[in-house]
Amino acid sequence: MNKQPIRLAVLGLGTVGTGVVRLLQANFAEIKRRTGRNIVITHVGTRRTRDDIDKHIKQSADLLQIVVADDVDIVVEVIGGTGVAKDVIIEAIKHGKHVVTANKALLAEHGNEIFALADAHQVKVAYEASVAGGIPIIKIVREALSANKIDWLAGIINGTGNFILTEMREKGRSFADVLAEAQALGYAESDPTFDVEGIDAAHKLTLLASIAFGIPLQFDKVYCEGITKITTQDVKYAEELGYRIKHLGFAVRRELDNGEQGIELRVHPTLIPADELLANVNGVKNAVLVDAHPVGQTMYYGAGAGAGATASAVMADVTDIVRMLNNIGENSNPNFVPHLAFLPQHLDNTRILSSDEIISGYYLRVQVKDDVGVLAKITHILSLLGIGIDAILQKPAHELGEVPIIIMVDPVLEGKMNEAIANIEALDSVVDKVVRIRLDELVE
Amino acid sequence: MNKQPIRLAVLGLGTVGTGVVRLLQANFAEIKRRTGRNIVITHVGTRRTRDDIDKHIKQSADLLQIVVADDVDIVVEVIGGTGVAKDVIIEAIKHGKHVVTANKALLAEHGNEIFALADAHQVKVAYEASVAGGIPIIKIVREALSANKIDWLAGIINGTGNFILTEMREKGRSFADVLAEAQALGYAESDPTFDVEGIDAAHKLTLLASIAFGIPLQFDKVYCEGITKITTQDVKYAEELGYRIKHLGFAVRRELDNGEQGIELRVHPTLIPADELLANVNGVKNAVLVDAHPVGQTMYYGAGAGAGATASAVMADVTDIVRMLNNIGENSNPNFVPHLAFLPQHLDNTRILSSDEIISGYYLRVQVKDDVGVLAKITHILSLLGIGIDAILQKPAHELGEVPIIIMVDPVLEGKMNEAIANIEALDSVVDKVVRIRLDELVE
């Protein structure tokens, strides 16, 4: 083949950008065997010049100049954030360049606009690397499950959070202690808010939900709860009951009692049965469980972050584009696979349910004075509201005569759970706020 | 859109064919939202006319007539086997029809010829459903991991075998007992040879190895061992040692001591650590673990068979083709993704290693007369051949004064293991053939 090489501009030379450069060096021949094409980096966008980069690659801090350069076919944006990254992606699209990005924040918050612009300019904005790192979950949901009706998905989609919860469970360490280590190891950002408050997971869930259900991106409607309030005590009690606490993103399609369709978008700590595969995904690893008709449950597991895993996803998008460019003729549309899996005109406005309307099971921990009558009062409150009890675990009193009572309740509307909890907290014997953690059996 | 519908001929109305018909009925609208196109079945190929099929669908037993009909764009072959299925696929290709098939036996044994013909006629032969049912492992390896160098993969790719091993472990049942149940449940064929002798898994492994490494299909070179000799005793001892026995297909890229590249293709029962996700894939479920650079280990899990899972995979291939047909113009080549992941001219002839050259760890069970000196003699034999011992488990004697000694040895050339076993069996105190099961730590 005497085709010209495909030329990349890699914008951002942090962990991921450097990973992309290294991947191409290591696997150049293997990729050429698959695509029939040389893929070369012609430009890197970097604030300070790096002398460990091949001399033939132009380095510049002027990103807007790079994306319009004649010797750039595909722009790889691995800067992150919603500022300059947005400007360069828009400029690239307007100049007819295909874009590959790992930027979940940008797409979750501005993807509707960016994808519309890409469709108008007949370029692809590919974003496999933006969710779950090396797990090809975007391709799987958009393409491999494309004949299914997806009922729900649940994902461990923040590696730092999963690392913290794993250490808390395996070693009995405290949240703060493990977080400090995660920061030292470089898993967590120096400002870990996006990780531990669930915002990063909410960004990713926003993308997953859109491609699963065919709805516009609606980051602002995701219910988002982090792991900062999880105690080693609750981790331990969960274990005793046969459950593990994982920080999960859920996207759930529901039919309401009135026949209306609704979608739950929520990110929160969740007790799941300890023998589920998802409960056994440990450390910084990610996994996504998808429940769809007729395929049933499928699960996808791998590294959710890191230079190698993310570069793998970035370059999978690049090879997709290269294979397409090699083979399609005049008047072809590069976006056979719609950006959000469903054709833009077929995205629908199924209502995103408010947090009051969410249905889930719960683990409740109630701190009570050691008083024989209190359990009966609590179960009475639950029973009055029609809330089913699945299990009760009463622990021995510790100092001060206080006893934790653990109650696992069947799926219930959050609004009703709130009411029950308010009533429980009003009891004289209850000495503290009720700790509540959602619970899901992940039943098919 | 006023595009004409895409017209399918579904050849074969067994479990999978009926699943495809039902899937299209159930998810017609959802698929149209994703593809922008009506997909209709115009023909079914069936030996006897069925009255539960829509009246607009033509039914016929003359498959060769169906595939050449004007109102057929895509031929879905779900007959199975290497006889008539081969004839109709070749006829379809020659008439410019795209083909979607679930036929692993046919592709593993005749795929080189079929794919070459499809390339020559510029049609796709898509085969997602042929490996691991609802798990989109073909798309994942061919596309999502396309920037990686794949080092090895290991898969539970026969659901019947996994069901049998799961029941043996969980309930202490015998192989024969569970097999009879699997046949009654319809998991296993009435002739279960393909399942329990590993032939079905070897067919699938042949396909996976080709797309992982870029080598021609070489079914005849797969080392193949089934599960018929696994006893509940060995399942139990494995468990005591922290392992589980799974029937796995392995494709492993190796550099030999002389610098030559080699590939191991093997299907056999294997002890793997009980805490690995793969060890926790139970019942009829399948899973494939892929170790690749730089993404690391990723794993893919789901139903490996059944009407719904297989229909999901078949129709994913159909939607891929429909999306392509909708969007590509004149002079486009439908096979952007090469049939075997690598371009035909870049498939290489890396040597498939003979069974003597395979390296793996082993679980050995040696039945000995209860004689204090025998363990020393056995370890001396292993030591003389440089075979490392990882663990030894000596069980109490049962009737007749016979004792099983379990030895787990480090990875070793099979040729050397054979030699050691022959020497062990020659010992006076050894009363039976040595039971050997391969062992793999699945280390990244």
Side-chain angles (χ1 to χ4, degrees):
Chain A
M1 265 187 226
N2 56 6
K3 283 177 179 158
Q4 293 300 308
I6 294 287
R7 298 154 305 177
L8 311 185
V10 177
L11 307 184
L13 274 188
T15 307
V16 179
T18 307
V20 170
V21 173
R22 290 214 188 110
L23 187 159
L24 252 182
Q25 282 166 351
N27 290 350
F28 182 86
E30 199 76 352
I31 294 171
K32 187 170 180 179
R33 289 180 64 206
R34 292 189 177 104
T35 60
R37 200 79 172 250
N38 290 331
I39 301 175
V40 299
I41 298 171
T42 50
H43 294 260
V44 294
T46 171
R47 236 169 297 173
R48 47 188 182 79
T49 306
R50 292 244 307 243
D51 48 18
D52 59 333
I53 297 294
D54 186 292
K55 298 286 170 280
H56 300 96
I57 300 175
K58 294 165 213 151
Q59 303 193 33
S60 164
D62 190 343
L63 306 183
L64 291 171
Q65 278 298 323
I66 294 176
V67 301
V68 303
D70 285 340
D71 57 350
V72 172
D73 302 302
I74 302 174
V75 171
V76 174
E77 182 276 307
V78 286
I79 304 160
T82 54
V84 63
K86 186 179 178 192
D87 299 336
V88 296
I89 285 178
I90 286 175
E91 195 69 9
I93 294 169
K94 286 184 175 164
H95 284 81
K97 310 293 171 100
H98 298 289
V99 173
V100 174
T101 176
N103 196 330
K104 53 255 177 185
L106 177 63
L107 293 181
E109 298 181 26
H110 304 284
N112 296 322
E113 167 195 350
I114 289 169
F115 293 142
L117 191 70
D119 286 334
H121 287 269
Q122 297 269 82
V123 297
K124 272 178 101 153
V125 173
Y127 56 99
E128 185 62 78
S130 66
V131 181
I135 307 171
I137 191 65
I138 302 295
K139 180 175 282 280
I140 288 163
V141 176
R142 289 205 309 187
E143 303 176 38
L145 300 178
S146 59
N148 285 270
K149 182 151 194 268
I150 296 178
D151 294 317
W152 55 266
L153 59 84
I156 296 172
I157 46 181
N158 180 272
T160 306
N162 200 45
F163 172 75
I164 293 173
L165 290 173
T166 302
E167 289 287 304
M168 288 176 72
R169 180 179 64 78
E170 290 183 352
K171 301 180 188 154
R173 300 169 64 189
S174 74
F175 170 78
D177 179 29
V178 188
L179 175 59
E181 186 195 347
Q183 290 176 288
L185 288 172
Y187 295 161
E189 305 295 321
S190 52
D191 174 2
T193 313
F194 271 39
D195 287 326
V196 299
E197 297 294 358
I199 300 161
D200 175 70
H203 281 138
K204 294 165 180 168
L205 184 75
T206 301
L207 289 161
L208 288 178
S210 285
I211 63 176
F213 303 137
I215 54 175
L217 296 156
Q218 295 162 83
F219 169 66
D220 55 334
K221 292 187 183 155
V222 180
Y223 169 80
C224 184
E225 190 185 316
I227 58 171
T228 56
K229 291 176 192 154
I230 301 295
T231 65
T232 46
Q233 192 183 1
D234 293 312
V235 170
K236 207 170 114 280
Y237 294 155
E239 196 82 355
E240 285 178 36
L241 289 157
Y243 290 79
R244 290 198 181 151
I245 301 179
K246 289 291 178 188
H247 189 251
L248 296 178
F250 280 94
V252 182
R253 194 201 289 267
R254 262 186 45 214
E255 184 162 345
L256 307 187
D257 288 341
N258 63 7
E260 187 198 352
Q261 296 290 312
I263 288 170
E264 297 181 358
L265 298 182
R266 48 193 171 93
V267 166
H268 50 73
T270 317
L271 274 76
I272 56 174
D275 59 359
E276 290 280 338
L277 285 182
L278 206 56
N280 291 283
V281 171
N282 293 319
V284 295
K285 292 298 172 80
N286 282 18
V288 181
L289 174 65
V290 183
D291 192 304
H293 178 81
V295 73
Q297 290 190 351
T298 53
M299 197 191 83
Y300 310 97
Y301 162 89
T310 313
S312 164
V314 164
M315 288 302 300
D317 281 341
V318 170
T319 59
D320 268 359
I321 295 171
V322 172
R323 283 171 160 171
M324 174 191 75
L325 293 176
N326 279 350
N327 291 290
I328 64 173
E330 297 283 314
N331 305 319
S332 300
N333 169 20
N335 288 318
F336 338 137
V337 181
H339 284 106
L340 291 177
F342 294 74
L343 293 170
Q345 67 271 31
H346 288 305
L347 295 180
D348 71 28
N349 55 1
T350 308
R351 188 164 68 84
I352 310 303
L353 300 174
S354 70
S355 67
D356 261 19
E357 295 171 291
I358 289 172
I359 291 183
S360 95
Y362 285 89
Y363 159 104
L364 306 175
R365 176 163 56 83
V366 191
Q367 291 290 128
V368 302
K369 276 181 272 187
D370 196 1
D371 162 357
V372 288
V374 65
L375 183 57
K377 288 178 192 161
I378 293 171
T379 57
H380 185 64
I381 288 170
L382 294 170
S383 150
L384 277 181
L385 287 162
I387 300 174
I389 295 175
D390 200 52
I392 293 178
L393 178 69
Q394 189 155 0
K395 303 304 293 182
H398 52 74
E399 72 282 18
L400 304 175
E402 278 181 25
V403 187
I405 297 177
I406 316 300
I407 305 171
M408 303 203 318
V409 305
D410 292 335
V412 55
L413 266 180
E414 169 140 344
K416 199 170 271 190
M417 191 76 261
N418 289 339
E419 194 181 339
I421 287 174
N423 293 348
I424 292 170
E425 287 175 348
L427 294 174
D428 281 345
S429 312
V430 173
V431 296
D432 205 346
K433 288 276 177 201
V434 172
V435 170
R436 78 166 95 184
I437 307 174
R438 285 181 180 74
L439 182 149
D440 200 302
E441 302 287 346
L442 304 177
V443 176
E444 190 157 353
Chain B
M1 267 190 224
N2 56 5
K3 283 178 180 155
Q4 293 299 312
I6 294 287
R7 299 156 303 180
L8 310 187
V10 177
L11 307 185
L13 274 187
T15 308
V16 178
T18 308
V20 169
V21 173
R22 292 216 185 108
L23 187 157
L24 251 182
Q25 282 165 352
N27 291 350
F28 183 86
E30 199 77 351
I31 295 171
K32 187 170 182 180
R33 289 179 64 206
R34 292 187 176 105
T35 60
R37 199 78 174 252
N38 291 331
I39 301 175
V40 299
I41 297 172
T42 49
H43 294 262
V44 294
T46 172
R47 235 169 298 173
R48 48 189 183 79
T49 306
R50 291 246 306 245
D51 49 18
D52 60 333
I53 298 293
D54 187 293
K55 298 287 170 275
H56 299 96
I57 300 176
K58 292 164 217 151
Q59 302 192 31
S60 163
D62 189 343
L63 307 182
L64 290 171
Q65 278 298 324
I66 294 177
V67 301
V68 304
D70 285 341
D71 58 349
V72 172
D73 302 303
I74 302 174
V75 171
V76 174
E77 182 275 306
V78 285
I79 306 160
T82 53
V84 63
K86 186 179 178 192
D87 300 335
V88 296
I89 285 178
I90 286 176
E91 195 69 8
I93 293 169
K94 287 185 174 165
H95 284 80
K97 310 292 170 100
H98 299 288
V99 173
V100 174
T101 175
N103 195 329
K104 54 257 177 185
L106 177 63
L107 293 180
E109 297 181 28
H110 303 283
N112 296 321
E113 167 194 351
I114 289 169
F115 294 143
L117 191 70
D119 286 334
H121 286 270
Q122 296 271 85
V123 297
K124 273 177 100 154
V125 173
Y127 56 99
E128 186 62 79
S130 66
V131 182
I135 307 172
I137 192 66
I138 302 295
K139 181 176 281 280
I140 288 163
V141 176
R142 288 204 311 187
E143 303 178 36
L145 300 179
S146 59
N148 285 268
K149 183 153 194 268
I150 296 178
D151 294 318
W152 55 267
L153 59 83
I156 296 172
I157 46 181
N158 179 274
T160 305
N162 200 46
F163 172 77
I164 294 173
L165 290 174
T166 302
E167 289 289 303
M168 289 176 71
R169 182 179 62 78
E170 290 183 352
K171 301 178 187 155
R173 300 170 63 190
S174 73
F175 170 78
D177 178 30
V178 188
L179 175 60
E181 185 195 349
Q183 289 177 286
L185 288 172
Y187 294 159
E189 305 295 323
S190 53
D191 174 2
T193 313
F194 271 38
D195 288 325
V196 300
E197 297 294 358
I199 299 160
D200 175 71
H203 282 140
K204 294 164 180 170
L205 184 75
T206 300
L207 289 162
L208 288 177
S210 284
I211 62 176
F213 303 137
I215 54 175
L217 295 156
Q218 293 161 83
F219 169 66
D220 56 334
K221 293 189 183 154
V222 179
Y223 169 82
C224 185
E225 189 185 317
I227 59 171
T228 54
K229 292 177 193 153
I230 300 294
T231 65
T232 46
Q233 190 183 5
D234 293 312
V235 169
K236 205 171 115 278
Y237 295 154
E239 196 82 356
E240 286 179 36
L241 289 158
Y243 290 78
R244 288 194 183 153
I245 301 178
K246 290 291 178 189
H247 189 249
L248 296 177
F250 280 94
V252 182
R253 195 201 288 267
R254 264 188 43 215
E255 184 161 345
L256 307 188
D257 288 342
N258 63 8
E260 189 199 349
Q261 297 290 312
I263 289 171
E264 295 181 359
L265 298 183
R266 47 192 170 95
V267 166
H268 51 72
T270 318
L271 274 76
I272 56 175
D275 59 358
E276 290 280 336
L277 287 181
L278 205 56
N280 291 281
V281 171
N282 292 321
V284 295
K285 293 298 172 82
N286 282 18
V288 182
L289 174 65
V290 183
D291 192 304
H293 178 80
V295 73
Q297 289 189 350
T298 53
M299 199 193 81
Y300 310 97
Y301 163 90
T310 312
S312 163
V314 164
M315 288 302 300
D317 280 342
V318 170
T319 60
D320 268 1
I321 295 171
V322 173
R323 282 171 160 171
M324 175 192 75
L325 293 176
N326 278 350
N327 290 289
I328 65 172
E330 296 282 315
N331 304 317
S332 299
N333 168 20
N335 288 318
F336 336 140
V337 180
H339 283 107
L340 290 177
F342 294 74
L343 293 170
Q345 66 272 32
H346 287 305
L347 295 179
D348 69 28
N349 56 1
T350 307
R351 188 164 68 83
I352 310 303
L353 299 175
S354 69
S355 66
D356 261 18
E357 296 171 291
I358 290 174
I359 291 183
S360 95
Y362 285 88
Y363 159 104
L364 306 175
R365 175 162 56 84
V366 191
Q367 293 289 128
V368 301
K369 277 180 268 187
D370 197 0
D371 161 358
V372 287
V374 64
L375 183 56
K377 287 178 195 160
I378 293 171
T379 56
H380 183 65
I381 288 170
L382 294 170
S383 149
L384 276 182
L385 287 162
I387 300 173
I389 295 174
D390 201 52
I392 293 178
L393 177 70
Q394 188 154 1
K395 304 301 295 182
H398 52 72
E399 72 281 20
L400 305 176
E402 278 182 27
V403 187
I405 297 177
I406 316 299
I407 305 171
M408 303 202 318
V409 305
D410 293 334
V412 54
L413 265 179
E414 170 140 342
K416 200 170 271 189
M417 190 77 260
N418 289 339
E419 194 181 340
I421 287 174
N423 293 346
I424 291 170
E425 288 175 346
L427 293 173
D428 281 345
S429 313
V430 172
V431 297
D432 206 346
K433 287 275 174 199
V434 172
V435 170
R436 76 167 96 186
I437 307 174
R438 286 183 180 72
L439 182 151
D440 201 302
E441 302 288 346
L442 304 177
V443 175
E444 193 160 346

